[in-house]
Amino acid sequence: MRTPVALAPMAGGVGTPALAAAVTRAGGLGSLGGAYLTPQALRDAIREVRALTDGPLLVNLFAPQTVPAVTPDAIALATAELAPFHDALRLSPPTLPERVQEDFGAQLDVVLEERPEVLSVAFGPVPPDALAALRARGILTVGTATSLSEALALHESGVDAITVQGGAAGGHRGGWQEDALADTLTLAREVARATPLPVLAAGGLMTADDVRSAQNAGATLAQCGTVFLMADEAGTSVPYRHALQDGRRGTVLTRAYSGRAARGLRTTFTDAVHHPLPFPHQNALTRPLRTAGAQARQADVLSLWAGTGYRQAQATGAAQIVASLTPGN
Ligand SMILES: Cc1cc2nc3c(=O)[nH]c(=O)nc-3n(C[C@H](O)[C@H](O)[C@H](O)COP(=O)(O)O)c2cc1C
């Protein structure tokens, strides 16, 4: 790598193979958010990046979750809140699908076969058997912490590096203590002091000065997501780009779309939903609405994940954005 910048993995369509390859080619660490991809789609995406660059690649998955039981009453409440949005888009009434998440084991098998240089995991520690298998293949492992205690637990678990995610970050809270909203630089400093592991700092890093500050706090890399949301190579949809450019919405922490706390632009949907099902049920429940909303260009039903720095996202090529994040350029 020629610059201390990692592209934050962004599942759900924003992070494309073209974006990953462009960041790697520009000297950073490109990444793929693979959590919502089927094993075949994940394999295809990794191969697409490999066809575009022989530089390093990070793949990100969600740690396997115990799927919580949900009561018929909770389902009725959650579907009732969605119903008016379905009606407005002339969709059939919302129903909970049987399959609510991808199979982590099958995704991991693809990673072991395709061998990206790095696998990072969010929402929990890397399972011990996965860690051993990854190590045996020479794939570096990164855990995600939103607090010092999570970082210490990840260090204990034997990962090679830790992403520390501050409260300004766009997208889901990546640890397992969803209410931990640290200042990015403070948390990076604490974790860099408390563990010998390399730290990737994430959350609100939008400029070369921010990247330099993260390095001064002890981070090895800055992991940047929001600054790339408007990149030419990003998969960000047209209504999503317009909402970002508009700049008036502000961000909120919401469980409305997925059942898990995430930061995104405020929408009429985030205002209207008060009884989401727990993750990953709500994510599966809202998927048809989000798909239809993207087709109909209705930004207000989309999960417009964005960090607090979104007004500084740059509508240009990814290589240009990497250059703008590189200290001393
Ligand atoms: C659109 C979007 C999708 C994201 N998806 C993931 C993901 O799949 N896995 C993950 O670990 N983090 C994900 N994140 C969080 C990022 O990894 C990272 O913590 C965050 O983008 C850093 O803060 P910033 O957005 O202020 O740059 C996502 C963030 C955004 C904006």
Side-chain angles (χ1 to χ4, degrees):
M1 292 173 65
R2 300 187 302 278
T3 175
V5 175
L7 171 67
M10 293 186 275
V14 170
T16 58
L19 181 61
V23 170
T24 292
R25 280 202 309 256
L29 176 60
S31 68
L32 286 173
Y36 301 136
L37 298 180
T38 61
Q40 187 56 49
L42 178 59
R43 191 186 303 281
D44 292 346
I46 295 172
R47 291 189 177 175
E48 213 177 315
V49 179
R50 294 302 201 197
L52 294 168
T53 174
D54 52 12
L57 172 65
L58 175 150
V59 169
N60 174 264
L61 296 176
F62 295 161
Q65 308 288 307
T66 321
V67 176
V70 282
T71 63
D73 280 357
I75 296 175
L77 260 179
T79 50
E81 286 184 329
L82 260 65
F85 292 94
H86 274 239
D87 285 350
L89 282 169
R90 297 172 195 275
L91 287 174
S92 53
T95 52
L96 193 58
E98 240 162 66
R99 184 184 173 79
V100 290
Q101 68 179 347
E102 288 302 326
D103 175 357
F104 176 81
Q107 290 174 321
L108 181 71
D109 285 344
V110 170
V111 169
L112 294 170
E113 285 159 22
E114 299 295 326
R115 293 171 82 154
E117 285 65 26
V118 190
L119 177 77
S120 84
V121 169
F123 300 176
V126 188
D129 50 342
L131 206 63
L134 290 156
R135 177 149 300 143
R137 300 276 193 305
I139 300 167
L140 294 172
T141 52
V142 181
T144 308
T146 55
S147 66
L148 180 60
S149 64
E150 286 180 348
L152 293 174
L154 288 171
H155 177 222
E156 263 309 89
S157 77
V159 292
D160 297 305
I162 299 175
T163 289
V164 304
Q165 189 196 42
H172 282 104
R173 305 303 305 142
W176 52 98
Q177 296 163 345
E178 286 181 64
D179 52 354
L181 294 171
D183 171 67
T184 301
L185 298 183
T186 305
L187 183 59
R189 195 171 294 115
E190 287 173 356
V191 174
R193 281 191 189 145
T195 79
L197 299 180
V199 167
L200 291 79
L205 306 179
M206 309 295 294
T207 64
D209 279 348
D210 296 339
V211 174
R212 172 78 79 206
S213 301
Q215 289 181 303
N216 289 341
T220 302
L221 297 179
Q223 178 174 306
C224 305
T226 295
V227 73
F228 289 100
L229 285 176
M230 304 277 292
D232 298 341
E233 298 89 342
T236 316
S237 66
V238 171
Y240 194 164
R241 285 175 193 259
H242 284 163
L244 288 164
Q245 248 161 348
D246 175 306
R248 278 176 300 186
R249 289 174 186 261
T251 69
V252 289
L253 268 180
T254 181
R255 290 185 165 76
Y257 292 102
S258 71
R260 213 182 157 97
R263 184 177 296 285
L265 299 185
R266 184 177 175 188
T267 61
T268 52
F269 193 77
T270 61
D271 286 348
V273 173
H274 304 289
H275 302 286
L277 294 173
F279 184 86
H281 297 285
Q282 185 78 0
N283 199 50
L285 183 67
T286 63
R287 182 162 288 138
L289 183 62
R290 289 181 282 123
T291 306
Q295 279 159 8
R297 300 199 170 190
Q298 294 279 321
D300 267 290
V301 298
L302 305 180
S303 49
L304 305 169
W305 302 144
T308 56
Y310 77 93
R311 293 182 187 88
Q312 290 167 271
Q314 300 176 42
T316 183
Q320 183 90 25
I321 300 173
V322 172
S324 80
L325 291 169
T326 301
N329 250 10

